[in-house]
Amino acid sequence: MRGLFTKFVLPLASIAKVMLALVVDEVLVNDDIVEVSSRALERGEGGLNWGEAWSMRDLLDYTLVASSNVGAEALAEKADARLREVYLSAPAGEAAVWRMNDLAREIGLQKTEFKNVSGLDLDITRAGALGTARDVAHIFEYAVSNKPGLFTGTTRSGLSLAPLNFPKRYANNTNYAIAEIPGIVLGKTGTTDLAGGNLAVAFESEGHIIVVVVLGATTEGRFGAVTRLVDIARGAAATQ
């Protein structure tokens, strides 16, 4: 696994949802039914409808591809009790974010901290998730190595998905550079006021999985930055 890294701790924004996906997948199965509560709507700042009922897998795909904060909150709520059954130290109502931090420590991340499950800024000065590009690359390495099938939705430009009790909707992938990254196996964007524009991708080239991470760019500039780094990394892999 190779990557281009910085040492600076920066807001991660919705890249945090990759760690959330790993955590909820520990205790939920694909056909578990996840309902969108008023609490999830409030904490996620809207985007879905109260009372929507989703299969876990469809809501997870929607959350990752469309970067839905409400979806992240609903998944965390569904996983809460089951996570507390497995991890006795996990606090009620916050078990998912507790486990996200716990897993970060397990896999050796020293500078990553999750304060909520979506990566939304807490306020104008506090980010919902913090970490380095190196740590993000390590999360992606862990995800691809241990749960490769969990993130297949992020490799597509969009998905047509539906809750069980509401009309179908189309989830456009927030990673607009996806068509320019052959061999992509995982990608996630992140955008908040504090984070600026983030994008991390893992792709296969010459038999290697390569991770490229850009943090703190502009909302539009992150795509060009990542595709340039992908080209550089792909060229380097070809000469090995």
Side-chain angles (χ1 to χ4, degrees):
M1 186 74 63
R2 305 174 186 180
L4 302 175
F5 310 113
T6 68
K7 63 183 179 180
F8 302 107
V9 175
L10 295 169
L12 300 183
S14 286
I15 288 176
K17 294 182 176 75
V18 172
M19 187 66 96
L20 172 67
L22 292 168
V23 165
V24 300
D25 187 65
E26 292 183 336
V27 294
L28 301 182
V29 297
N30 286 347
D31 58 357
D32 277 334
I33 304 303
V34 182
E35 295 188 2
V36 177
S37 69
S38 58
R39 181 175 182 267
L41 280 170
E42 180 179 356
R43 289 171 66 121
E45 300 184 358
L48 295 175
N49 299 298
W50 175 81
E52 286 188 21
W54 291 75
S55 71
M56 187 282 285
R57 183 55 198 245
D58 281 355
L59 184 57
L60 181 62
D61 282 340
Y62 185 83
T63 297
L64 291 170
V65 172
S67 207
S68 171
N69 299 315
V70 175
E73 294 290 348
L75 288 164
E77 282 185 11
K78 179 67 176 182
D80 190 81
R82 296 188 196 177
L83 284 167
R84 286 187 287 116
E85 291 175 0
V86 178
Y87 304 102
L88 301 183
S89 298
E94 300 292 338
V97 72
W98 178 93
R99 176 56 183 154
M100 290 163 69
N101 286 299
D102 184 55
L103 181 56
R105 291 189 294 270
E106 276 185 23
I107 64 177
L109 307 187
Q110 301 300 314
K111 297 181 179 180
T112 294
E113 181 181 8
F114 300 102
K115 299 179 181 179
N116 60 31
V117 297
S118 67
L120 267 177
D121 293 338
L122 301 179
D123 54 39
I124 61 172
T125 63
R126 296 182 300 155
L130 293 164
T132 65
R134 184 182 296 274
D135 280 2
V136 170
H138 195 64
I139 293 169
F140 274 48
E141 176 182 5
Y142 179 88
V144 171
S145 298
N146 291 276
K147 294 288 182 178
L150 194 61
F151 300 96
T152 55
T154 71
T155 69
R156 299 176 60 181
S157 60
L159 296 171
S160 184
L161 298 165
L164 303 176
N165 55 347
F166 276 77
K168 186 175 291 187
R169 57 167 58 89
Y170 192 79
N172 288 301
N173 198 325
T174 54
N175 177 10
Y176 301 147
I178 193 168
E180 301 177 57
I181 308 173
I184 187 169
V185 294
L186 168 58
K188 188 70 197 77
T189 59
T191 307
T192 67
D193 289 342
L194 293 178
N198 297 341
L199 176 59
V201 299
F203 62 97
E204 187 173 2
S205 179
E206 303 294 332
H208 301 286
I209 297 295
I210 302 172
V211 180
V212 168
V213 181
V214 169
L215 302 179
T218 64
T219 302
E220 293 302 320
R222 57 185 163 166
F223 301 114
V226 163
T227 55
R228 287 192 294 274
L229 290 172
V230 166
D231 289 342
I232 292 169
R234 193 179 296 281
T239 64
Q240 298 298 311

